[in-house]
Amino acid sequence: MAGNDASAGHVFVVRGRLESVDWDAAVVSTSGSFLPREHWWPVLGLTAQLDFAPAGAGRVRSFPKEGRPAWLLNVASRISVDWLVEGVYEVLDVIARTGIQPGGSRVKPLVALPTFGVGLGGQGGVRGHVIKALIDAAAVCADKYDFDIAFVVANAADYAAYQSVRRGHLCSAGVPPQVQQLADRLRAGDVSLLLGAGVSIPAGLPSWDSLLDRIRSEALPSIDAELFSGLGVLDRAQLLSKALHPQGLGASVVELTGGGAKPTLSHCLLASLGVTKVVTTNYDSLYEKAFESAHGRGSIAVLPREEATASRPWILKMHGDSGDPDSIVLSRRDFVRYDAERRPLGSIVQSLMATGHLVVVGASMTDDNVLRLAHEVLALDEHNGRQRKIGTVITLRQDNLRTELWKNDFDYVAASEADNDSAAARDLEIFLDNLAILTTVDTPYLLDVNYSGLLDGEEIALADSLREVAKIVRSLPEASRERWGVLEATLHRLGAETQPMRRRRGVNDRANISRSG
């Protein structure tokens, strides 16, 4: 894939809550009182309402807080969508004039925005118009001010509406074949994810090398760092494990990886894909935090310490969990004992490879356990005369050597042509954003009148007709309505209003479905 124009900002959309994203600046909605509602307190670091509004004039106020800056935007008016968007232009101009800098290893600042004005702002009845206008305004400002913008969207229907609008823009610009191929697989539902350290390093968490060196500086300060690095990763970990006995290496690993880091944009984008089966070699809980921010608390099970069910997405912590120091797998001896002690975990990973397509993100395919599991599946395929690729590895940039090594076994897809790692990491975020656009196929807004501004021509008449059908089904006697439960459930998933039937003993009420988001 070609590298992105370094001078142009990008507009992202992720599922979740504003306080759960690692942004460089954020804007929250207020009324003319400039006293934020309780909903926004976690974003602003508040535990109680302000006594006085922040000083200033006009529609935009800087919010005084430690750490990452935030702004307040007055959106409480029913004047028009144009008036609402004028405020967005104004606040982004103010942020640009402060000279905001990117945090961590980002090459551009990331400004996080909610969907303005659709709550108490008075524009909820024209959400479709608002979303289209916000996307257009953000694109203009991202290009003008050279920063990235992320809309953080908690509402499932809003998220689908954003992606529908953006899908039209992306398809007009042209979709790279490798992105479209991956998107097709994701939409088919046969994809699982394998996440490596490269996903969490931008959050400030250490790589294996830096993790071990930081532990060495505390546990074995007399050992020369260069001499230490001459050992292999597993042997370095084994040496530290002995030095830290009987406490063990796990406690030190948890101390360095189990802190208060926030999910990165990549975590949020991956969680927005809605993949239900995920494996990670990371110890941290950032993906789980991003997923629960997007889909609700308790929406993902963490294996092996929680129960997996058919209806609940899960993530398998292959090498242990920062929540359990004794589970950490890092030393040579840990890896030697892995198959004997944790074979069922490896079997889960192999089943994903054998029955679907494993997409690898942030991992270089050098992990001994992953390699062994993959080669065993490939050997089984060869024995049975099956010729197929068991997965796709998404890399920052082209890796010709490993592409050749895994030829006919894994596809290798480069997200960037940039030489700089930070620029390439941003290109990976844009790659994942494009995947999210193409894979969001649910349309829970189509029959909701508040989103009519997204429809054109005959679509408007069709939506009106289907809403009338939904009314007719709802008006049927209970016994008759049950027969139309499948149709009613389908219309409900498309955004039509519904009401639950009174449950009768022995009757399975398929139409009584709670609406997501």
Coordinates of all heavy atoms in Angstrom, one line a residue, residues 387-479:
Q387 N -4.5 -27.3 0.0 CA -3.6 -26.2 -0.3 C -4.4 -24.9 0.0 O -5.3 -24.6 -0.8 CB -3.1 -26.3 -1.7 CG -2.2 -27.5 -2.0 CD -1.7 -27.4 -3.4 OE1 -2.2 -26.7 -4.3 NE2 -0.7 -28.2 -3.7
R388 N -4.0 -24.2 1.1 CA -4.7 -23.0 1.4 C -3.7 -22.1 2.3 O -2.8 -22.7 2.9 CB -6.0 -23.3 2.1 CG -5.7 -23.9 3.5 CD -7.0 -24.3 4.2 NE -6.7 -24.8 5.6 CZ -6.8 -24.0 6.7 NH1 -7.1 -22.8 6.6 NH2 -6.5 -24.5 7.8
K389 N -4.0 -20.9 2.3 CA -3.4 -20.0 3.3 C -4.2 -19.9 4.5 O -5.4 -19.6 4.5 CB -3.2 -18.6 2.6 CG -2.2 -18.7 1.4 CD -2.1 -17.3 0.7 CE -1.1 -17.4 -0.4 NZ -0.9 -16.1 -1.2
I390 N -3.5 -20.1 5.7 CA -4.3 -20.2 6.9 C -4.4 -18.8 7.6 O -5.1 -18.7 8.6 CB -3.6 -21.2 7.9 CG1 -2.2 -20.7 8.3 CG2 -3.6 -22.6 7.3 CD1 -1.6 -21.6 9.4
G391 N -3.8 -17.8 7.0 CA -3.9 -16.5 7.6 C -3.3 -15.4 6.8 O -2.7 -15.6 5.7
T392 N -3.4 -14.2 7.4 CA -2.8 -13.0 6.8 C -2.1 -12.2 7.9 O -2.6 -12.0 9.0 CB -3.9 -12.0 6.2 OG1 -4.6 -12.7 5.1 CG2 -3.3 -10.8 5.6
V393 N -0.8 -11.8 7.6 CA 0.0 -11.1 8.5 C 0.0 -9.6 8.0 O 0.5 -9.4 6.9 CB 1.4 -11.6 8.6 CG1 2.2 -10.8 9.6 CG2 1.4 -13.1 9.0
I394 N -0.5 -8.7 8.8 CA -0.5 -7.3 8.4 C 0.8 -6.7 9.1 O 0.9 -6.6 10.3 CB -1.7 -6.5 8.9 CG1 -3.0 -7.2 8.3 CG2 -1.7 -5.1 8.5 CD1 -4.3 -6.6 8.9
T395 N 1.7 -6.2 8.2 CA 2.9 -5.7 8.7 C 3.0 -4.2 8.5 O 2.2 -3.6 7.7 CB 4.1 -6.3 8.0 OG1 4.0 -6.0 6.6 CG2 4.1 -7.8 8.2
L396 N 3.9 -3.5 9.2 CA 4.0 -2.0 9.0 C 4.5 -1.7 7.6 O 4.0 -0.8 6.9 CB 5.0 -1.4 10.0 CG 4.5 -1.3 11.4 CD1 5.6 -0.6 12.3 CD2 3.2 -0.6 11.5
R397 N 5.5 -2.5 7.1 CA 6.0 -2.3 5.8 C 6.4 -3.6 5.1 O 6.3 -4.7 5.8 CB 7.2 -1.3 5.8 CG 8.3 -1.8 6.7 CD 9.5 -0.9 6.7 NE 9.1 0.4 7.3 CZ 9.1 0.7 8.6 NH1 9.5 -0.3 9.5 NH2 8.8 1.8 9.1
Q398 N 6.7 -3.6 3.9 CA 7.0 -4.8 3.1 C 8.1 -5.6 3.8 O 9.2 -5.0 4.1 CB 7.4 -4.5 1.7 CG 7.5 -5.6 0.8 CD 6.2 -6.4 0.6 OE1 5.1 -5.7 0.5 NE2 6.2 -7.7 0.5
D399 N 7.9 -6.9 3.9 CA 8.9 -7.8 4.5 C 9.2 -8.9 3.5 O 8.5 -10.0 3.5 CB 8.5 -8.3 5.8 CG 9.5 -9.1 6.6 OD1 10.5 -9.6 5.9 OD2 9.4 -9.2 7.8
N400 N 10.1 -8.7 2.6 CA 10.3 -9.7 1.5 C 10.7 -11.0 1.9 O 10.3 -12.1 1.4 CB 11.3 -9.1 0.4 CG 10.7 -7.9 -0.3 OD1 9.5 -7.8 -0.6 ND2 11.6 -6.9 -0.6
L401 N 11.6 -11.0 3.0 CA 12.2 -12.3 3.4 C 11.1 -13.2 4.0 O 11.0 -14.3 3.7 CB 13.3 -12.0 4.4 CG 14.1 -13.2 4.9 CD1 14.8 -13.8 3.7 CD2 15.1 -12.8 5.9
R402 N 10.3 -12.6 4.9 CA 9.2 -13.4 5.6 C 8.1 -13.7 4.6 O 7.4 -14.7 4.7 CB 8.7 -12.7 6.8 CG 9.7 -12.8 8.0 CD 9.1 -12.5 9.3 NE 10.0 -12.8 10.4 CZ 10.9 -11.9 10.9 NH1 11.0 -10.7 10.3 NH2 11.7 -12.3 11.9
T403 N 7.9 -12.8 3.7 CA 6.9 -13.1 2.6 C 7.2 -14.4 1.9 O 6.4 -15.2 1.6 CB 6.7 -11.9 1.7 OG1 6.3 -10.7 2.4 CG2 5.7 -12.2 0.6
E404 N 8.5 -14.5 1.6 CA 9.0 -15.7 0.8 C 9.0 -16.9 1.8 O 8.6 -18.0 1.4 CB 10.4 -15.4 0.3 CG 10.9 -16.5 -0.6 CD 10.1 -16.7 -1.9 OE1 9.5 -15.7 -2.3 OE2 10.1 -17.8 -2.4
L405 N 9.4 -16.7 3.0 CA 9.4 -17.8 4.0 C 8.0 -18.4 4.2 O 7.9 -19.6 4.3 CB 9.9 -17.3 5.4 CG 9.8 -18.2 6.5 CD1 10.8 -19.4 6.3 CD2 10.2 -17.5 7.8
W406 N 6.9 -17.6 4.2 CA 5.6 -18.1 4.5 C 4.8 -18.1 3.2 O 3.5 -18.2 3.2 CB 4.9 -17.2 5.5 CG 5.5 -17.3 6.9 CD1 6.3 -16.5 7.5 CD2 5.2 -18.4 7.8 NE1 6.6 -16.9 8.7 CE2 5.9 -18.1 9.0 CE3 4.4 -19.5 7.8 CZ2 5.9 -18.9 10.1 CZ3 4.4 -20.3 8.9 CH2 5.1 -20.0 10.0
K407 N 5.4 -18.1 2.0 CA 4.7 -18.2 0.8 C 3.8 -19.4 0.7 O 4.2 -20.5 1.1 CB 5.8 -18.3 -0.4 CG 5.2 -18.3 -1.8 CD 6.3 -18.3 -2.8 CE 5.7 -18.3 -4.2 NZ 6.8 -18.3 -5.2
N408 N 2.6 -19.2 0.3 CA 1.5 -20.3 0.2 C 1.0 -20.7 1.5 O 0.1 -21.5 1.6 CB 2.0 -21.5 -0.6 CG 2.4 -21.2 -2.0 OD1 1.8 -20.3 -2.7 ND2 3.5 -21.8 -2.5
D409 N 1.5 -20.1 2.6 CA 1.0 -20.4 4.0 C 0.3 -19.3 4.6 O -0.8 -19.4 5.1 CB 2.2 -20.8 4.9 CG 2.9 -22.1 4.4 OD1 2.3 -22.9 3.7 OD2 4.2 -22.1 4.6
F410 N 0.9 -18.1 4.6 CA 0.3 -16.8 5.1 C 0.5 -15.8 4.0 O 1.5 -15.7 3.3 CB 1.0 -16.3 6.3 CG 0.6 -17.0 7.6 CD1 1.2 -18.2 8.0 CD2 -0.5 -16.5 8.4 CE1 0.8 -18.8 9.2 CE2 -0.8 -17.1 9.6 CZ -0.2 -18.2 10.0
D411 N -0.5 -14.9 3.8 CA -0.4 -13.7 3.0 C 0.3 -12.7 3.9 O 0.0 -12.6 5.1 CB -1.8 -13.2 2.6 CG -2.2 -13.8 1.3 OD1 -1.4 -14.1 0.4 OD2 -3.5 -14.0 1.2
Y412 N 1.2 -11.9 3.3 CA 1.8 -10.8 4.0 C 1.3 -9.5 3.3 O 1.5 -9.3 2.1 CB 3.4 -10.9 3.9 CG 4.0 -11.5 5.2 CD1 3.8 -12.8 5.5 CD2 4.7 -10.7 6.1 CE1 4.3 -13.4 6.6 CE2 5.2 -11.2 7.2 CZ 5.0 -12.6 7.5 OH 5.5 -13.1 8.7
V413 N 0.7 -8.6 4.1 CA 0.2 -7.4 3.6 C 0.9 -6.2 4.3 O 0.8 -6.1 5.5 CB -1.3 -7.3 3.8 CG1 -1.9 -5.9 3.3 CG2 -2.0 -8.4 3.1
A414 N 1.5 -5.3 3.6 CA 2.2 -4.2 4.1 C 1.2 -3.0 4.2 O 0.5 -2.7 3.2 CB 3.4 -3.8 3.3
A415 N 1.1 -2.4 5.4 CA 0.2 -1.2 5.6 C 0.8 0.1 5.1 O 0.1 1.1 4.9 CB -0.2 -1.1 7.0
S416 N 2.1 0.1 4.9 CA 2.8 1.4 4.6 C 4.0 1.2 3.8 O 4.6 0.1 3.7 CB 3.2 2.1 5.9 OG 3.9 3.3 5.7
E417 N 4.4 2.3 3.1 CA 5.7 2.4 2.5 C 6.7 3.4 3.1 O 7.8 3.6 2.7 CB 5.5 2.8 1.0 CG 4.8 1.8 0.2 CD 4.6 2.2 -1.3 OE1 4.9 3.4 -1.6 OE2 4.0 1.5 -2.1
A418 N 6.2 3.9 4.3 CA 7.0 4.9 5.0 C 8.2 4.2 5.7 O 8.2 3.1 6.2 CB 6.2 5.6 6.1
D419 N 9.4 5.0 5.7 CA 10.6 4.5 6.3 C 10.5 4.7 7.8 O 11.1 3.9 8.6 CB 11.8 5.2 5.7 CG 12.0 4.9 4.3 OD1 11.7 3.7 3.9 OD2 12.5 5.7 3.5
N420 N 9.9 5.7 8.3 CA 9.8 6.0 9.7 C 8.7 5.1 10.4 O 7.6 5.0 9.9 CB 9.4 7.5 9.8 CG 9.2 7.9 11.3 OD1 8.2 7.8 11.8 ND2 10.3 8.5 11.9
D421 N 9.1 4.5 11.5 CA 8.2 3.6 12.2 C 6.9 4.3 12.6 O 5.8 3.7 12.6 CB 8.9 3.0 13.4 CG 9.9 1.9 13.0 OD1 9.9 1.5 11.8 OD2 10.7 1.5 13.9
S422 N 7.0 5.5 13.1 CA 5.8 6.2 13.6 C 4.9 6.6 12.5 O 3.7 6.4 12.6 CB 6.3 7.5 14.4 OG 7.0 7.2 15.5
A423 N 5.4 7.0 11.3 CA 4.6 7.2 10.2 C 4.0 6.0 9.7 O 2.8 5.9 9.3 CB 5.4 7.9 9.1
A424 N 4.7 4.9 9.7 CA 4.2 3.6 9.3 C 3.1 3.1 10.2 O 2.1 2.5 9.8 CB 5.3 2.5 9.2
A425 N 3.2 3.4 11.5 CA 2.2 3.0 12.5 C 0.9 3.7 12.2 O -0.2 3.2 12.4 CB 2.7 3.2 13.9
R426 N 1.0 5.0 11.9 CA -0.2 5.8 11.5 C -0.8 5.2 10.3 O -2.1 5.2 10.2 CB 0.2 7.2 11.3 CG -1.0 8.1 10.9 CD -0.6 9.6 10.9 NE -1.7 10.4 10.4 CZ -1.9 10.7 9.1 NH1 -1.1 10.3 8.2 NH2 -2.9 11.5 8.8
D427 N 0.0 4.8 9.3 CA -0.6 4.2 8.1 C -1.3 2.9 8.4 O -2.4 2.6 7.8 CB 0.5 3.9 7.1 CG 1.0 5.1 6.3 OD1 0.3 6.2 6.4 OD2 2.1 5.1 5.8
L428 N -0.8 2.2 9.4 CA -1.5 1.0 9.9 C -2.9 1.3 10.5 O -3.9 0.7 10.2 CB -0.7 0.2 10.9 CG -1.4 -1.0 11.6 CD1 -1.8 -2.0 10.5 CD2 -0.5 -1.6 12.6
E429 N -2.9 2.4 11.2 CA -4.2 2.9 11.8 C -5.2 3.2 10.7 O -6.4 2.9 10.7 CB -4.0 4.1 12.7 CG -3.2 3.8 13.9 CD -2.8 5.1 14.7 OE1 -2.9 6.2 14.1 OE2 -2.4 5.0 15.9
I430 N -4.7 3.9 9.6 CA -5.6 4.2 8.5 C -6.0 3.0 7.8 O -7.2 2.8 7.3 CB -4.9 5.2 7.5 CG1 -4.6 6.5 8.3 CG2 -5.7 5.4 6.3 CD1 -3.8 7.5 7.5
F431 N -5.1 2.0 7.6 CA -5.5 0.7 7.0 C -6.6 0.0 7.8 O -7.6 -0.4 7.2 CB -4.2 -0.2 7.1 CG -4.4 -1.5 6.4 CD1 -3.9 -1.8 5.1 CD2 -5.0 -2.6 7.1 CE1 -4.0 -3.0 4.5 CE2 -5.1 -3.9 6.5 CZ -4.6 -4.1 5.2
L432 N -6.5 0.0 9.2 CA -7.5 -0.6 10.0 C -8.8 0.2 9.9 O -9.9 -0.4 10.0 CB -7.0 -0.7 11.4 CG -5.8 -1.6 11.7 CD1 -5.4 -1.5 13.1 CD2 -6.2 -3.1 11.4
D433 N -8.7 1.5 9.8 CA -9.9 2.4 9.7 C -10.7 2.0 8.4 O -11.9 1.9 8.4 CB -9.5 3.8 9.7 CG -10.7 4.8 9.7 OD1 -11.6 4.5 10.5 OD2 -10.7 5.7 9.0
N434 N -9.9 1.8 7.3 CA -10.6 1.5 6.1 C -11.2 0.1 6.2 O -12.3 -0.1 5.6 CB -9.6 1.5 4.9 CG -9.1 2.9 4.6 OD1 -9.8 3.9 4.8 ND2 -8.0 3.0 4.0
L435 N -10.6 -0.8 6.9 CA -11.2 -2.1 7.1 C -12.5 -2.0 7.8 O -13.5 -2.6 7.5 CB -10.3 -3.0 7.9 CG -9.3 -3.9 7.1 CD1 -8.5 -4.8 8.1 CD2 -9.9 -4.8 6.1
A436 N -12.5 -1.1 8.9 CA -13.7 -0.9 9.7 C -14.9 -0.3 8.8 O -16.0 -0.7 9.0 CB -13.4 0.0 10.9
I437 N -14.5 0.6 7.9 CA -15.5 1.2 7.1 C -16.2 0.1 6.2 O -17.4 0.0 6.1 CB -14.9 2.2 6.1 CG1 -14.4 3.4 7.0 CG2 -15.9 2.7 5.1 CD1 -13.6 4.5 6.2
L438 N -15.4 -0.8 5.6 CA -15.9 -1.7 4.7 C -16.6 -2.9 5.3 O -17.4 -3.6 4.7 CB -14.7 -2.3 3.8 CG -14.0 -1.2 2.9 CD1 -12.8 -1.8 2.3 CD2 -15.0 -0.8 1.8
T439 N -16.3 -3.2 6.6 CA -16.9 -4.3 7.2 C -18.1 -4.0 8.1 O -18.8 -4.9 8.6 CB -15.9 -5.0 8.1 OG1 -15.3 -4.1 9.1 CG2 -14.7 -5.6 7.3
T440 N -18.5 -2.7 8.2 CA -19.7 -2.4 9.0 C -20.9 -2.5 8.1 O -21.2 -1.6 7.3 CB -19.5 -0.9 9.5 OG1 -18.3 -0.8 10.3 CG2 -20.7 -0.6 10.4
V441 N -21.5 -3.6 8.1 CA -22.7 -3.9 7.2 C -24.0 -3.8 7.9 O -25.0 -3.7 7.2 CB -22.5 -5.2 6.5 CG1 -21.3 -5.3 5.6 CG2 -22.4 -6.3 7.6
D442 N -24.0 -3.7 9.2 CA -25.3 -3.6 9.9 C -25.9 -2.2 9.6 O -25.1 -1.2 9.5 CB -25.2 -3.8 11.4 CG -24.8 -5.2 11.8 OD1 -25.1 -6.1 11.0 OD2 -24.3 -5.4 12.9
T443 N -27.2 -2.1 9.5 CA -27.8 -0.8 9.2 C -29.0 -0.5 10.1 O -30.2 -0.4 9.7 CB -28.3 -0.8 7.7 OG1 -29.2 -1.9 7.5 CG2 -27.2 -0.8 6.7
P444 N -28.7 -0.4 11.4 CA -29.8 -0.2 12.4 C -30.4 1.2 12.4 O -31.2 1.6 13.3 CB -29.1 -0.4 13.8 CG -27.7 -0.1 13.5 CD -27.4 -0.5 12.1
Y445 N -30.1 2.0 11.4 CA -30.6 3.4 11.2 C -31.5 3.5 10.1 O -32.2 4.5 10.0 CB -29.4 4.3 11.0 CG -28.6 4.0 9.8 CD1 -29.0 4.5 8.5 CD2 -27.5 3.2 9.8 CE1 -28.3 4.2 7.4 CE2 -26.8 2.9 8.7 CZ -27.2 3.3 7.5 OH -26.5 3.0 6.3
L446 N -31.6 2.5 9.2 CA -32.3 2.7 7.9 C -33.8 3.1 8.1 O -34.3 4.0 7.3 CB -32.3 1.4 7.1 CG -31.1 1.2 6.2 CD1 -31.2 -0.1 5.4 CD2 -30.9 2.3 5.2
L447 N -34.5 2.5 9.0 CA -35.9 2.8 9.2 C -36.2 3.8 10.4 O -37.3 4.0 10.7 CB -36.7 1.5 9.4 CG -36.6 0.5 8.3 CD1 -37.5 -0.7 8.6 CD2 -36.9 1.1 7.0
D448 N -35.1 4.3 10.9 CA -35.3 5.3 12.0 C -35.4 6.7 11.3 O -34.5 7.1 10.6 CB -34.0 5.3 12.9 CG -34.2 6.2 14.1 OD1 -34.9 7.2 14.1 OD2 -33.5 5.8 15.2
V449 N -36.5 7.4 11.6 CA -36.8 8.6 10.9 C -35.7 9.7 11.2 O -35.6 10.6 10.4 CB -38.2 9.2 11.3 CG1 -39.3 8.2 10.7 CG2 -38.3 9.3 12.8
N450 N -35.0 9.5 12.3 CA -34.0 10.5 12.7 C -32.8 10.5 11.7 O -32.0 11.5 11.7 CB -33.5 10.3 14.1 CG -34.6 10.5 15.1 OD1 -35.5 11.3 15.0 ND2 -34.6 9.7 16.2
Y451 N -32.7 9.4 11.0 CA -31.6 9.3 10.0 C -32.0 9.4 8.6 O -31.3 9.1 7.7 CB -30.9 7.9 10.2 CG -30.3 7.7 11.6 CD1 -31.0 7.1 12.6 CD2 -29.0 8.1 11.8 CE1 -30.5 6.9 13.8 CE2 -28.4 7.9 13.1 CZ -29.1 7.3 14.1 OH -28.6 7.1 15.3
S452 N -33.2 10.0 8.4 CA -33.7 10.1 7.0 C -32.8 10.9 6.1 O -32.8 10.8 4.9 CB -35.1 10.7 7.0 OG -36.1 9.8 7.7
G453 N -32.1 11.8 6.7 CA -31.2 12.6 5.9 C -30.1 11.9 5.2 O -29.4 12.4 4.3
L454 N -29.9 10.6 5.5 CA -28.9 9.7 4.9 C -29.5 9.1 3.6 O -28.7 8.4 2.9 CB -28.4 8.7 5.8 CG -27.6 9.2 7.1 CD1 -27.2 8.0 7.9 CD2 -26.4 10.1 6.7
L455 N -30.8 9.1 3.4 CA -31.4 8.4 2.3 C -31.7 9.3 1.2 O -31.9 10.5 1.3 CB -32.8 7.8 2.8 CG -32.7 6.9 4.1 CD1 -34.0 6.3 4.4 CD2 -31.6 5.8 3.9
D456 N -31.8 8.7 0.0 CA -32.0 9.5 -1.2 C -33.2 8.9 -2.0 O -33.4 7.7 -2.0 CB -30.7 9.5 -2.1 CG -29.6 10.2 -1.5 OD1 -29.7 11.2 -0.9 OD2 -28.5 9.6 -1.5
G457 N -33.9 9.7 -2.7 CA -34.9 9.3 -3.8 C -35.8 8.2 -3.3 O -36.5 8.4 -2.3
E458 N -35.8 7.1 -4.0 CA -36.7 6.0 -3.7 C -36.5 5.3 -2.4 O -37.4 4.7 -1.8 CB -36.6 5.0 -4.8 CG -37.1 5.5 -6.2 CD -37.0 4.4 -7.3 OE1 -36.4 3.3 -7.0 OE2 -37.5 4.6 -8.4
E459 N -35.3 5.5 -1.8 CA -35.0 5.0 -0.5 C -35.9 5.6 0.6 O -36.4 4.9 1.5 CB -33.5 5.2 -0.1 CG -32.5 4.4 -0.8 CD -31.1 4.7 -0.2 OE1 -30.7 5.9 -0.2 OE2 -30.5 3.8 0.3
I460 N -36.2 6.8 0.4 CA -37.1 7.5 1.4 C -38.5 6.9 1.4 O -39.1 6.6 2.4 CB -37.1 9.0 1.1 CG1 -35.7 9.6 1.3 CG2 -38.2 9.7 2.0 CD1 -35.7 11.1 0.9
A461 N -39.0 6.7 0.2 CA -40.3 6.1 0.0 C -40.3 4.6 0.5 O -41.3 4.2 1.2 CB -40.8 6.1 -1.4
L462 N -39.3 3.9 0.2 CA -39.2 2.5 0.7 C -39.1 2.5 2.2 O -39.8 1.6 2.8 CB -37.9 1.9 0.1 CG -37.6 0.4 0.6 CD1 -38.7 -0.5 0.2 CD2 -36.3 0.0 0.0
A463 N -38.4 3.3 2.8 CA -38.3 3.4 4.3 C -39.7 3.7 4.9 O -40.1 3.1 5.9 CB -37.3 4.4 4.8
D464 N -40.4 4.6 4.3 CA -41.7 5.0 4.8 C -42.7 3.8 4.7 O -43.4 3.5 5.6 CB -42.3 6.1 3.9 CG -41.7 7.5 4.2 OD1 -41.1 7.6 5.3 OD2 -41.7 8.4 3.4
S465 N -42.6 3.0 3.6 CA -43.4 1.9 3.4 C -43.1 0.8 4.4 O -44.0 0.2 5.0 CB -43.3 1.3 2.0 OG -43.7 2.2 1.0
L466 N -41.8 0.6 4.7 CA -41.5 -0.5 5.7 C -41.8 -0.1 7.1 O -42.2 -1.0 7.9 CB -40.0 -0.8 5.5 CG -39.5 -1.5 4.3 CD1 -38.0 -1.6 4.2 CD2 -40.2 -2.9 4.1
R467 N -41.8 1.2 7.4 CA -42.3 1.6 8.7 C -43.8 1.4 8.9 O -44.2 1.0 10.0 CB -41.9 3.1 8.9 CG -40.5 3.4 9.3 CD -40.3 4.8 9.8 NE -40.3 5.7 8.7 CZ -39.3 6.2 8.0 NH1 -38.1 5.7 8.3 NH2 -39.4 7.0 7.0
E468 N -44.5 1.6 7.8 CA -45.9 1.2 7.8 C -46.2 -0.2 8.0 O -47.1 -0.7 8.8 CB -46.6 1.7 6.5 CG -46.7 3.2 6.4 CD -47.5 3.9 7.6 OE1 -48.5 3.3 8.0 OE2 -47.0 4.9 8.1
V469 N -45.3 -1.1 7.4 CA -45.4 -2.5 7.6 C -45.2 -2.9 9.0 O -45.9 -3.7 9.6 CB -44.4 -3.3 6.7 CG1 -44.4 -4.7 7.0 CG2 -44.8 -3.1 5.2
A470 N -44.2 -2.2 9.6 CA -43.9 -2.5 11.0 C -45.1 -2.1 11.9 O -45.4 -2.8 12.9 CB -42.6 -1.7 11.5
K471 N -45.7 -1.0 11.6 CA -46.9 -0.6 12.4 C -48.0 -1.7 12.3 O -48.7 -2.0 13.2 CB -47.4 0.7 11.9 CG -46.5 1.9 12.3 CD -47.1 3.2 11.7 CE -46.2 4.4 12.0 NZ -46.8 5.7 11.5
I472 N -48.2 -2.2 11.0 CA -49.3 -3.2 10.8 C -49.0 -4.4 11.6 O -49.9 -5.0 12.3 CB -49.4 -3.5 9.3 CG1 -49.9 -2.3 8.5 CG2 -50.3 -4.7 9.1 CD1 -49.8 -2.5 7.0
V473 N -47.7 -4.9 11.6 CA -47.3 -6.1 12.4 C -47.6 -5.8 13.9 O -48.1 -6.7 14.6 CB -45.9 -6.5 12.1 CG1 -45.4 -7.6 13.0 CG2 -45.7 -6.9 10.7
R474 N -47.2 -4.7 14.4 CA -47.4 -4.4 15.8 C -48.9 -4.3 16.2 O -49.3 -4.6 17.3 CB -46.8 -3.0 16.2 CG -45.3 -3.0 16.1 CD -44.7 -1.9 17.0 NE -45.2 -0.6 16.5 CZ -44.7 0.2 15.6 NH1 -43.6 -0.2 15.0 NH2 -45.2 1.4 15.3
S475 N -49.7 -4.0 15.2 CA -51.2 -3.9 15.5 C -51.9 -5.2 15.5 O -53.1 -5.3 15.8 CB -51.8 -2.9 14.5 OG -51.9 -3.5 13.2
L476 N -51.3 -6.3 15.0 CA -51.9 -7.6 14.9 C -52.3 -8.1 16.3 O -51.6 -7.8 17.3 CB -51.0 -8.6 14.2 CG -50.7 -8.3 12.7 CD1 -49.7 -9.3 12.2 CD2 -52.0 -8.4 11.9
P477 N -53.3 -8.9 16.4 CA -53.5 -9.7 17.7 C -52.3 -10.5 18.0 O -51.5 -10.9 17.2 CB -54.7 -10.6 17.3 CG -55.4 -9.9 16.1 CD -54.3 -9.2 15.4
E478 N -52.1 -10.7 19.3 CA -50.9 -11.3 19.8 C -50.6 -12.7 19.1 O -49.5 -13.0 18.7 CB -51.0 -11.5 21.3 CG -49.7 -12.0 21.9 CD -49.7 -12.0 23.4 OE1 -50.5 -11.2 24.0 OE2 -49.0 -12.8 24.0
A479 N -51.7 -13.5 18.9 CA -51.5 -14.8 18.4 C -51.0 -14.7 16.9 O -50.2 -15.5 16.4 CB -52.8 -15.6 18.4

